[in-house]
């Protein structure tokens, strides 16, 4: 079955360390996204990528970095510059070739805890 | 950026219909209305979307006001598995990938 795989499900890191969250999709989707969710809050866009080798900052990109070297993969690095990294991170993809209204497909998230 | 407004929470009895409202008064002509739902500790799941006409699928129905400034997600018979946070968002046909998710409506289903 096609879908989005995020790994690991839970991640623990010490403050000051960079950490990379994995996101892989086999849906042949062009666009991929990273969202952050804090308890009781909605989703906030960190970065998005429309095509391979291109990505754009979302609303809260500071302290994060991404790469898009392959269509299937969109890893997110949470750097030590991110002041409050503890959160639930969600990766999504969509196939906007038929218009940007095509539905988003989400992974099941990575819960990052930094102490 | 177009935003939506939803009630924070709603309750429903099991087996009864549920109507989840969403206001989007700043919607533009090319914005599609999408609904997603999120179960605890999972990623959101697509439910339904529409532009102008009412839409039905196996999960739900979407009723869109004539002026498109509001919409309602209808779950015809709520089950305990429908307890989730429901998000209504606007997705334009073109121009931006910056979709705005609010805090959604937390639906509680009572047995």
């Amino acid at each position: 079955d096609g879908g989005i795989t995020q790994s690991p499900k839970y991640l623990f890191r010490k403050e000051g360390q960079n950490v990379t969250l994995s996101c892989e999709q086999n849906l042949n989707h062009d666009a991929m996204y990273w969202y952050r969710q804090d308890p009781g809050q909605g989703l906030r866009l960190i970065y998005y990528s429309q095509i391979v080798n291109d990505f754009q900052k979302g609303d809260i990109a500071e302290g994060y970095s991404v790469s898009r070297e392959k269509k299937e993969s969109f890893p997110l690095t949470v750097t030590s510059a991110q002041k409050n990294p503890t959160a639930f991170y969600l990766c999504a993809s969509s196939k906007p070739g038929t218009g940007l209204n095509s539905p988003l497909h989400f992974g099941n998230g990575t819960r990052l805890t930094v102490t | 950026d177009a935003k939506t407004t939803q009630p924070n929470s709603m309750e429903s009895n099991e087996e009864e219909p549920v109507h989840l409202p969403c206001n989007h008064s700043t919607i533009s002509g090319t914005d599609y209305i999408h609904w997603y739902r999120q179960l605890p500790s999972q990623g959101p799941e697509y439910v339904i979307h529409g532009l102008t006409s009412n839409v039905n699928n196996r999960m739900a129905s979407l009723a869109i006001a004539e002026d498109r400034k509001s919409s309602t997600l209808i779950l015809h018979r709520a089950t305990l598995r429908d307890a989730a946070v429901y998000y209504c968002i606007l997705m334009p046909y073109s121009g931006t990938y910056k979709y705005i998710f609010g805090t959604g409506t937390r639906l509680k289903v009572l047995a």
Side-chain angles (χ1 to χ4, degrees):
Chain A
D1 283 341
I4 296 183
T5 301
Q6 290 189 243
S7 60
K9 190 172 176 64
Y10 299 96
L11 192 52
F12 298 89
R13 280 294 182 270
K14 295 287 189 185
E15 198 172 319
Q17 293 179 333
N18 291 355
V19 59
T20 297
L21 282 58
S22 169
C23 177
E24 303 279 331
Q25 55 102 356
N26 60 4
L27 298 166
N28 198 34
H29 284 174
D30 295 305
M32 297 188 74
Y33 315 76
W34 274 105
Y35 289 91
R36 169 183 172 138
Q37 187 173 36
D38 293 287
Q41 302 298 310
L43 283 64
R44 291 185 290 167
L45 182 65
I46 305 173
Y47 268 98
Y48 65 94
S49 168
Q50 301 175 44
I51 55 172
V52 174
N53 293 322
D54 182 70
F55 48 83
Q56 307 294 330
K57 292 182 179 179
D59 300 316
I60 56 166
E62 186 175 347
Y64 299 98
S65 66
V66 294
S67 63
R68 185 85 188 276
E69 296 176 2
K70 298 186 301 182
K71 188 175 186 177
E72 301 80 20
S73 179
F74 192 39
L76 173 74
T77 297
V78 184
T79 75
S80 57
Q82 167 50 232
K83 290 182 172 38
N84 297 298
T86 294
F88 188 46
Y89 290 88
L90 288 158
C91 179
S93 71
S94 68
K95 192 174 180 64
T98 54
L100 292 181
N101 57 295
S102 60
L104 295 168
H105 295 252
F106 285 86
N108 276 329
T110 292
R111 191 169 299 279
L112 173 65
T113 302
V114 177
T115 57
Chain B
D1 293 334
K3 294 182 70 171
T4 60
T5 305
Q6 300 176 254
N8 286 335
S9 63
M10 292 184 66
E11 281 188 4
S12 173
N13 293 320
E14 200 177 8
E15 305 284 322
E16 290 186 358
V18 182
H19 290 231
L20 298 166
C22 180
N23 287 321
H24 27 79
S25 58
T26 60
I27 192 170
S28 73
T30 57
D31 286 344
Y32 280 74
I33 302 156
H34 279 238
W35 284 82
Y36 294 82
R37 70 179 186 182
Q38 185 177 23
L39 299 172
S41 298
Q42 293 189 24
E45 171 190 30
Y46 166 78
V47 178
I48 199 167
H49 77 283
L51 182 63
T52 56
S53 304
N54 294 345
V55 183
N56 300 298
N57 67 20
R58 63 175 181 82
M59 291 181 71
S61 295
L62 175 60
I64 301 172
E66 197 169 333
D67 64 4
R68 298 205 334 119
K69 293 186 177 182
S70 66
S71 61
T72 303
L73 180 71
I74 302 165
L75 306 179
H76 295 287
R77 290 180 65 196
T79 70
L80 296 178
R81 289 177 295 179
D82 291 323
V85 177
Y86 287 79
Y87 296 99
C88 162
I89 71 168
L90 301 180
M91 295 178 70
Y93 184 80
S94 64
T96 180
Y97 288 71
K98 291 188 177 183
Y99 314 124
I100 299 176
F101 282 80
T103 53
T105 297
R106 182 173 298 278
L107 175 65
K108 186 175 181 180
V109 180
L110 306 174

